[in-house]
């Protein structure tokens, strides 16, 4: 049996990197079932180190914390995460903030293109309790994760999920469309951790990272209801390119920043 403080110190040293101590704490909370705050406040817990040891070993070998715990929080929802989906990022919460700010009336019907874990759709459904939503993904494995998350968060009655290629073949119209497509250029620098553990199909979009926007933007006018809003995540250097692409459509576009002040999404309005 070891004290909390000794375990955390040793684990953080082995994990290394910018988030070593935080990672060590999150994993210990997961291993013991004791919330992180409580572990730190009351350090008298005596802990059986075996289970924790296995997790620290995986983290030290470069596996994402979310894959070890199997969950990640997004917009206060505790979501299941597997290697089949992109791990929800805090940056993507910007899309929900922007949608909340720009929508003049509550959306009735919401579309999430490339839903992955379901994070954006489920967050939106918690904000608009009368809305229903559809999540589209090209990956069956991702749809299974999204469906499990809808059930886990109590939102399954208002969420549907469907295999698809962006908006192709959809005949409904939506008041709000959310989308976090792949947008990394194939030659772009990307951390080894992301490259090795997250699905390439959710990350890469051709040489300049814009391939999927080229597919999605022309579909939007046919998917948006009157006075509908689309909020699209972008890479922080893609603002000018997206604004230029949007200018070629009949939609009005505005650029919005994340908490770090970097361009993070484009909002597009139909007429
Ligand atoms: N924001 C993610 C990253 O930088 C990429 C997500 C995406 O391509 N949609 O790792």
């Amino acid at each position: 049996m070891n004290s909390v403080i000794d375990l955390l110190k040793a684990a953080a040293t082995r994990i290394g990197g910018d988030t070593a101590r935080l990672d060590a704490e999150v994993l210990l909370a997961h291993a013991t079932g004791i919330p992180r705050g409580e572990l730190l406040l009351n350090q008298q817990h005596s802990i059986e180190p075996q289970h924790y040891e296995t997790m620290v070993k995986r983290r030290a070998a470069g596996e994402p914390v979310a894959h070890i715990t199997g969950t990640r929080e997004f917009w206060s929802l505790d979501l299941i995460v597997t290697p089949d989906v992109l791990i929800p990022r805090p940056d993507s919460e910007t899309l929900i903030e922007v949608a909340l700010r720009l929508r003049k009336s509550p959306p009735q019907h919401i579309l999430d293109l490339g839903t992955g874990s379901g994070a954006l759709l489920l967050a939106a459904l918690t904000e608009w309790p009368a809305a229903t939503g559809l999540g589209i993904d090209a990956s069956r494995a991702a749809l299974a994760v999204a469906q499990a998350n809808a059930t886990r968060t109590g939102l399954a009655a208002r969420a549907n999920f469907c295999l698809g290629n962006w908006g192709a073949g959809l005949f409904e119209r939506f008041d709000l469309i959310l989308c976090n497509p792949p947008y990394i250029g194939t030659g772009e620098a990307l951390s080894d951790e992301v490259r090795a553990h997250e699905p390439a199909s959710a990350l890469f979009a051709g040489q300049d990272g814009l391939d999927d926007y080229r597919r999605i933007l022309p579909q939007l006018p046919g998917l948006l209801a009157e006075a509908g809003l689309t909020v699209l995540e972008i890479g922080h250097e893609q603002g000018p390119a997206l604004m230029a692409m949007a200018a070629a459509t009949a939609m009005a576009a505005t650029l919005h920043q994340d908490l770090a002040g970097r361009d993070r999404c484009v909002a597009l309005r139909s007429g």
Side-chain angles (χ1 to χ4, degrees):
M1 296 290 179
N2 291 314
S3 80
V4 168
I5 213 74
D6 291 342
L7 273 176
L8 287 175
K9 264 192 200 149
T13 304
R14 284 169 61 197
I15 291 169
D18 294 345
T19 58
R21 176 65 189 220
L22 175 65
D23 294 352
E25 290 174 9
V26 170
L27 292 176
L28 188 58
H30 185 73
T32 58
I34 301 168
R36 207 177 124 224
E38 196 183 313
L39 274 174
L40 299 177
L41 275 178
N42 173 9
Q43 302 186 353
Q44 302 313 311
H45 295 288
S46 56
I47 286 156
E48 174 55 56
Q50 206 50 49
H51 187 36
Y52 187 49
E53 165 61 26
T54 312
M55 293 182 177
V56 171
K57 204 176 199 168
R58 287 171 66 184
R59 180 65 192 136
E63 209 173 326
V65 173
H67 287 179
I68 302 170
T69 63
T71 60
R72 172 56 50 93
E73 188 189 311
F74 183 82
W75 203 257
S76 299
L77 298 170
D78 185 43
L79 300 178
I80 297 164
V81 170
T82 74
D84 293 313
V85 299
L86 194 75
I87 299 169
R89 270 74 164 155
D91 285 345
S92 301
E93 295 183 339
T94 310
L95 276 72
I96 304 295
E97 281 160 22
V98 167
L100 281 167
R101 192 147 32 87
L102 297 186
R103 273 301 313 178
K104 293 182 183 102
S105 57
Q108 297 296 306
H109 204 30
I110 302 170
L111 176 65
D112 181 6
L113 289 174
T115 194
S117 65
L120 288 172
L121 182 66
L122 298 173
L125 291 177
T126 62
E127 290 299 327
W128 288 292
T132 56
L134 175 64
I136 300 288
D137 209 283
S139 155
R140 271 181 210 286
L143 289 170
V145 176
Q147 184 65 60
N149 279 325
T151 303
R152 179 184 178 89
T153 53
L155 296 164
R158 293 191 285 128
N160 277 309
F161 296 97
C162 201
L163 197 67
N165 175 15
W166 301 124
L170 288 179
F171 296 105
E172 301 162 75
R173 299 250 174 185
F174 301 85
D175 309 300
L176 175 63
I177 301 177
L178 299 167
C179 176
N180 177 15
Y183 54 68
I184 314 259
T186 36
E188 245 175 84
L190 187 64
S191 83
D192 288 343
E193 184 175 325
V194 174
R195 198 178 283 276
H197 294 279
E198 298 196 62
S201 60
L203 294 169
F204 301 109
Q207 195 63 37
D208 60 2
L210 300 172
D211 277 8
D212 287 288
Y213 299 121
R214 292 189 184 98
R215 297 188 182 105
I216 295 163
L217 256 67
Q219 296 181 347
L220 295 176
L223 293 168
L224 282 171
E226 208 183 314
L229 174 74
T230 298
V231 189
L232 197 57
E233 181 162 330
I234 59 168
H236 67 98
E237 291 174 330
Q238 291 173 328
L242 261 290
M243 292 304 276
M245 287 169 74
T249 71
M251 295 177 289
T254 49
L255 208 48
H256 302 268
Q257 287 74 38
D258 59 25
L259 289 176
R262 306 195 301 182
D263 288 344
R264 185 53 60 196
C265 57
V266 174
L268 299 143
R269 277 192 182 287
S270 57

